Amino acid sequence: MTYRLRSQTGDSIAVPQLIFTNLTRATGDHMRVALYILATHSTDPKDIAHALALKNVQAAQKALDFWHGVGLLELERDAAPPAPLPAKQPPLTAEELRMAAMRDPMVSTLATEAQAYLGQSLGQKDIQRLVSLYVNESIPVDLILLCAAHISSQGRHSVTQLERELDRWAQEGVTTGQEAEAYLQRLKERGQREEKAAAILGMPVGALTLADKRCIRRWYEEFGYSDAMVEEAVLHGNGSKDPKYINGILKSWYAKGWRTPADARGGGSLTGANVRVDRQAPSGNDILQRPARRPLRLKQEE
């Protein structure tokens, strides 16, 4: 009995020659991990151990270390560190604050409005620090007030917390009131997506970790997927609703160019447009035209 490779066995993936070169050295787990990485582009040992039912995460990590050692994988470089913020000047003195208020009416407006947005009265030292953001660091008044309103809505009301949030905004490239409005709208949309994704995953939004939120952000902002696509990935998740595992599925789909649930449903070898019938079912006429089989006869014993 001989065999030959069938022409239709599902989606195909390119296998680097490096894998064939190391066939004699690789174990079964090594090969399974390599094929999983090629298919999903996921190198998270937890995801791999869960998807391949390995004994433990260490088994997945050992396979990753093996493929890194032979040159199939490379260390993922961290993103370039953000540019350091300019050195802060010391806060205004009381006399400098008085002179600034005399020269610029926005100083008094800022001091008054910021206290209202923060929801508490500020002492002299805090007002000096607050006005220094405008006078010494040239941060627009509308940007400061928008930031004050934002942190106050989150239960933060101090000037120290305001300074830290403004520093974070600067790292995100938010330097004007208009950019701040767009940024806050983006944060609002992210929060709504996190709530929706948490509902799809069947978990409270408060249980999402920072890593989970980064995954969700990629689904919607980088991949451009809809809620329906996330729901489809959960259906394909083999019972797992871990955001990092679902992220591996969506990342694989994005790499394959699948953009809609219909693409995902039709991507397998047994569904959608990939189904191919090699031979047609016999019609009634075909059955009638077939010669009848001769009945089997038992050989009589002599």
Side-chain angles (χ1 to χ4, degrees):
M1 180 182 296
T2 59
Y3 295 99
R4 64 182 176 87
L5 184 64
R6 294 186 60 182
S7 59
Q8 177 66 22
T9 54
D11 293 332
S12 299
I13 56 176
V15 179
Q17 182 62 38
L18 185 63
I19 290 181
F20 295 105
T21 304
N22 290 275
L23 276 178
T24 56
R25 300 175 53 198
T27 66
D29 282 350
H30 291 166
M31 293 304 304
R32 295 169 64 199
V33 169
L35 293 176
Y36 180 81
I37 293 172
L38 293 176
T40 66
H41 298 273
S42 173
T43 55
D44 187 324
K46 293 182 180 179
D47 291 346
I48 294 173
H50 176 81
L52 300 181
L54 301 181
K55 292 181 180 180
N56 48 47
V57 177
Q58 287 72 23
Q61 187 60 56
K62 287 181 180 179
L64 292 171
D65 293 340
F66 171 82
W67 290 117
H68 172 250
V70 300
L72 181 67
L73 303 177
E74 62 181 359
L75 293 175
E76 186 173 8
R77 304 298 179 187
D78 295 332
L85 294 173
K88 292 182 178 294
Q89 298 185 27
L92 298 176
T93 64
E95 179 62 21
E96 290 172 336
L97 174 62
R98 186 180 69 81
M99 295 299 296
M102 292 177 59
R103 292 192 301 267
D104 189 345
M106 290 301 297
V107 170
S108 297
T109 300
L110 172 62
T112 302
E113 295 293 328
Q115 293 182 81
Y117 280 113
L118 289 174
Q120 67 174 8
S121 298
L122 300 178
Q124 180 70 18
K125 294 293 185 182
D126 281 338
I127 292 178
Q128 290 171 206
R129 293 168 59 194
L130 174 68
V131 175
S132 293
L133 297 173
Y134 169 60
V135 175
N136 287 344
E137 300 183 32
S138 301
I139 301 177
V141 170
D142 57 345
L143 179 62
I144 297 173
L145 295 180
L146 282 169
C147 190
H150 173 65
I151 67 169
S152 179
S153 68
Q154 298 179 332
R156 297 179 289 162
H157 306 280
S158 71
V159 173
T160 298
Q161 291 166 326
L162 174 64
E163 290 174 326
R164 291 174 181 170
E165 189 68 17
L166 285 169
D167 285 345
R168 278 192 286 269
W169 286 17
Q171 296 280 6
E172 294 286 341
V174 179
T175 57
T176 67
Q178 185 176 4
E179 291 172 345
E181 291 177 354
Y183 179 68
L184 291 175
Q185 179 62 29
R186 194 158 63 245
L187 291 180
K188 179 181 178 181
E189 292 172 354
R190 284 177 182 173
Q192 294 171 343
R193 290 168 183 157
E194 289 167 2
E195 291 179 1
K196 181 62 177 179
I200 294 174
L201 295 169
M203 60 191 300
V205 68
L208 294 174
T209 65
L210 184 59
D212 295 338
K213 293 179 179 180
R214 289 197 186 104
C215 288
I216 294 171
R217 189 182 308 172
R218 293 190 69 190
W219 304 345
Y220 293 96
E221 297 182 20
E222 182 178 339
F223 300 158
Y225 284 152
S226 63
D227 294 336
M229 200 64 170
V230 177
E231 292 172 348
E232 191 69 24
V234 171
L235 292 176
H236 285 72
N238 297 324
S240 173
K241 293 187 176 182
D242 178 38
K244 290 181 286 296
Y245 183 71
I246 301 302
N247 184 68
I249 295 175
L250 291 173
K251 185 177 180 180
S252 172
W253 290 358
Y254 183 77
K256 295 176 181 178
W258 298 352
R259 299 294 182 263
T260 66
D263 293 336
R265 297 186 194 116
S269 60
L270 299 179
T271 59
N274 286 337
V275 173
R276 188 179 69 182
V277 179
D278 292 331
R279 61 179 64 181
Q280 295 181 350
S283 64
N285 292 334
D286 292 335
I287 295 175
L288 292 176
Q289 293 173 1
R290 289 181 181 176
R293 292 188 177 183
R294 298 177 61 186
L296 296 176
R297 294 181 179 178
L298 297 177
K299 184 178 180 182
Q300 295 181 353
E301 297 182 359
E302 296 180 353

